[in-house]
Amino acid sequence: MSEFLTALVRASEKSANIARACKQEETLFHLLVQEKKGDEKNKKFVSDFKTLADVLVQEVIKHDVGKKFPGLEDHIFGEESNQITNSLGEKIKVEVCTTEQDTTELLSKVLDGNMAAAKLLASIVHLDVSIKDPTLEEVEAAIPQDSMAVWVDPIDSTFQYIKGYADEKPKDGIYSKGLQCVTILIGVYNRSSGLPIMGVINQPFATRDPDSLRWSGQYFWGISYKDVNICSLQNDDVNATSQLADDPCEDLGQNEDLQPGDNLSAVISTSENESIKTALSMLRLYYAAGAGYKSLCAVRGFVSVYLLSEDTTFKWDCCAPHAILRSLGGGMVDFRECLKRRKDGNLDELPELIYNTPINGATGVDRWANKGGLVAYRCPRHLDTIMNIISKATP
Ligand code: 2IP
Ligand code: CA
């Protein structure tokens, strides 16, 4: 059994409990939202938010994984800094303390003395989560601990988490916005090659019970290490949930070229630039919020690709879905580099995203941006056809 992957799935489930608890309590939620400033800010949004849920989730993942695998906590990186300021202007370092009581006291400072809320959150933080996942129990992979490092996005699509509504309607299974677009992303990569090895995508708000109005979530995992390629989706009836066949390439003849009309599809950001939108207009095109959620749509086979031409995603947005896509025979590549190589006639090797190298000369979060954009895909032939379409349509 891969104890490490199991520990990540459990940490993601605990994190999802925290995300749900923070959102469910409307009054508590208003106390938690804080605006990001300066270097921490994602330039895409006029204002960007950091919530206690974000910070706490990241600390819980670090703490729980570090406790089980001592030493690894120093190689777990994330989007958030663990400092938060309360309404009195006090800067507080959020962390998981040794006892539940100590965590309660620390959280009550962030929550302006709201002991009831602090108690509730601390109890979730200190509660062990058990999971039943027979496929996960069967995964065998002996990966040296000192070869691994981790990227965490504690709450991806923070904007939807804060503002997102509960009653959005999906189109062909895809939510364009709403709480369903929120994900928790934990991705593991190889420290020396920078390639992703395993990942967990947890969707804390997947379905809502119409009577109790309580949310339940779901998680997806994948591992791609040497000859081990296993994904949690393999045991599902994939056809029941996706638009594509189990193996998305299976329905295509081996040698024929794909044509634009061949039921290809893409999910993109509403902020995608016009020339890309036009180039992709011959495909089934969907818009959705959340880099993690759009990647999940590719993982689940709802779309052929998730494509982004801009530099507004980061290593923590991609590492987890990238690992899962690799376990399914797909991957995630640098969009601009892929386009350039195609125009240069160099189709030998795909420019896969890697996770261990910051951008030279960049500062703050920009050091870890996916500078050339990205394309996430399950089937290499779908990627090829779609890149071909874009290459022909753009100068
Ligand atoms: C964001 C989030 C946004 C996404 C952006 C990410 O991460 O996933 O939704 O923009 O690229 O960096 P879009 O939805 O337009 O794709 P976070 O919410 O963690 O800041
Ligand atoms: Ca993110």
Side-chain angles (χ1 to χ4, degrees), residues 79 153 155-157 185 291 316-317:
E79 181 177 12
D153 189 342
I155 306 265
D156 181 59
S157 212
L185 308 167
W316 48 82
D317 291 315

Side-chain angles (χ1 to χ4, degrees), residues 135-278:
T135 323
L136 182 57
E137 278 162 29
E138 279 164 24
V139 175
E140 298 272 0
I143 310 173
Q145 187 180 314
D146 61 3
S147 69
M148 295 188 282
V150 184
W151 277 117
V152 173
D153 189 342
I155 306 265
D156 181 59
S157 212
T158 319
F159 186 77
Q160 294 302 316
Y161 183 57
I162 294 165
K163 299 265 187 257
Y165 298 109
D167 42 14
E168 302 295 337
K169 295 274 172 293
K171 186 176 158 211
D172 299 335
I174 299 171
Y175 289 86
S176 64
K177 53 185 177 7
L179 282 166
Q180 288 86 352
C181 299
V182 173
T183 53
I184 294 161
L185 308 167
I186 311 177
V188 180
Y189 64 92
N190 182 291
R191 283 183 213 170
S192 48
S193 71
L195 284 169
I197 305 170
M198 53 182 135
V200 181
I201 302 178
N202 199 310
Q203 192 185 17
F205 307 94
T207 48
R208 191 162 75 146
D209 184 288
D211 300 321
S212 68
L213 300 183
R214 295 249 147 215
W215 284 95
S216 14
Q218 56 189 348
Y219 61 79
F220 304 84
W221 54 260
I223 178 164
S224 178
Y225 180 70
K226 296 191 172 162
D227 51 358
V228 177
N229 282 291
I230 309 171
C231 172
S232 58
L233 277 173
Q234 272 151 355
N235 273 6
D236 287 7
D237 176 10
V238 182
N239 287 319
T241 53
S242 86
Q243 314 288 306
L244 302 173
D246 193 348
D247 171 358
C249 292
E250 212 172 55
D251 51 342
L252 312 165
Q254 276 307 302
N255 300 314
E256 21 172 312
D257 276 344
L258 276 172
Q259 299 302 319
D262 283 341
N263 200 24
L264 291 180
S265 54
V267 64
I268 60 174
S269 165
T270 42
S271 66
E272 185 54 80
N273 78 52
E274 287 307 318
S275 65
I276 299 289
K277 285 185 189 167
T278 313

Side-chain angles (χ1 to χ4, degrees), residues 47-67:
S47 58
D48 197 351
F49 292 92
K50 165 168 170 174
T51 67
L52 177 63
D54 268 293
V55 178
L56 194 56
V57 162
Q58 185 166 307
E59 286 309 303
V60 160
I61 293 170
K62 266 194 179 168
H63 174 267
D64 287 14
V65 176
K67 200 167 153 198

